[in-house]
Amino acid sequence: MASLASHIPQTQDAPTISTPVFTGLVRAFDVLLFLAAAAIAGAWLGGVFETQLQGPLAQAAIIGAGAGCMVLASGGGYAIERLRSLRSQLWPIVKAATLAGAAAIIGLFFVGAGTQAPRAFPFVFAFAALLLLAGSRVGLDMLMTRWTRAGRFRRRIAVVAVSEFSREFIERLRAEPDDFEIVGVYDDRLRSGRVPGVHANVVVRGSVADLVRDSRAERIDVIAVALPLGAAGRIADVLEQLSSTVADVCLTADLAGLAYHGHQFGAVGANPVIAIGENPMKDWSAAKKMCFDYAAGIIALVILSPLLAVLALAVKLDSRGPILFRQPRLGFNNRMFVCYKFRTMYADMTDVMADKQTTRDDPRITRVGRWMRKLSFDELPQLLNVLNGTMSLVGPRPHAPNTKAADRLFAEVVQKYALRHRVKPGITGWAQVNGWRGETTTVEQVENRVRCDLFYIDNWSVLFDLKIVVMTVLREIRSQNAF
């Protein structure tokens, strides 16, 4: 157990800012600025917000704020490229403030306060909104300039294949602001000497398999496959190898002069690309998932703390050894992490790497451990994993590295097994509440677990998480598959 840390990779990624989250926060802050402008207008006109007109004026201000933000959004005012340039934002801000004032006038009549509200309110509101937005954009320009230089918006990109496509892709990226860092080029032909060790002044670091390994040891945000569309077989092979990575995978080709549209088409800098696979939980989805995990985890830990204390005491009194069992398990991006459980086996019989699965009436299990496992109470310390960020409350269950079915490792049994690691593992999951937990002795059992896990990843939502938590409490306490 002392060597457990050697199984856990230690990585330090530079802090970066998600562009969708950042622009979303700017949009939310603009709403607050519009409402602040309405408050300023009300105070300037004699404290009318403190009269019975407070409700109608507030409603009109909300209508104006919504209209102003819609004008900014429809004109591309929240695009990261637009936010970088103070000059390009001036006219959209003037237009948004003007139309916000006009929307406030219309709103006053709709809410029945048109004849009572101060006539100057919409104009003062629009002028105050203009000043506040302009001031915020000056501050934002200074902040973004500083963060851009510090690399806070930088995305790390790996390129697959030594080709003319990749050369042009790299050269176009170099013309961009400091948003992109090319971490390397990867090509399976490097080992045979068929491609050079440097391509477009970028080091060719290894094969696609090396890229998969590197993506787990360091942060890689985007993987661009730069192969001609005619090389369908080679593209399919590369995409199959990259299917378990958490990076966004895109296919780039010589599309720079063509028009393109559709949800799968996008751009990496000036390079048009076809999105093949994206991280299923990133940006706002990741933020919502994280908020749910931390909020629910803290509440559960507080409520269950008396029970946890009793269980810890029972483990200590029942047999010699530590209270907690620390086991390396495969987690997000196929990285190892330390998973916490109450110790349910005799200390000298614990199986850290899970070379042998627990069976019914297993002699290694202690008296207290037997009923704790039956009630699934041994899993409760994993709330600590939720709070340290290595696990989620709900997600695919993590397995120890040597867990087997039919004497074969899970990853060897099911081809898509590694796809489970594109999200954080969970204390409970869709597979568990559907009965797929406990000992796995057949290939079919593993396949059904993976099928449920992939369904969960594809259909995730906060409500889905809540449903699984409720089903866990109702179904999984005293589960027949827990032993």
Side-chain angles (χ1 to χ4, degrees), residues 434-475:
N434 280 281
W436 300 110
R437 61 171 298 185
E439 185 182 12
T440 51
T441 57
T442 67
V443 172
E444 182 184 7
Q445 289 174 314
V446 183
E447 290 176 339
N448 286 325
R449 281 193 183 189
V450 172
R451 187 179 300 110
C452 288
D453 290 335
L454 298 184
F455 176 85
Y456 167 78
I457 293 172
D458 291 338
N459 295 276
W460 174 83
S461 70
V462 173
L463 289 178
F464 196 13
D465 274 5
L466 286 171
K467 176 181 178 179
I468 293 173
V469 169
V470 173
M471 291 176 68
T472 299
V473 175
L474 296 179
R475 292 185 183 181

Side-chain angles (χ1 to χ4, degrees), residues 20-30 284:
V21 171
F22 178 77
T23 56
L25 291 174
V26 173
R27 188 180 307 208
F29 188 65
D30 281 353
W284 284 114

Side-chain angles (χ1 to χ4, degrees), residues 213-228:
R213 181 203 61 204
D214 291 344
S215 71
R216 291 167 182 164
E218 60 187 270
R219 180 176 60 83
I220 296 179
D221 301 304
V222 179
I223 298 174
V225 180
L227 287 168

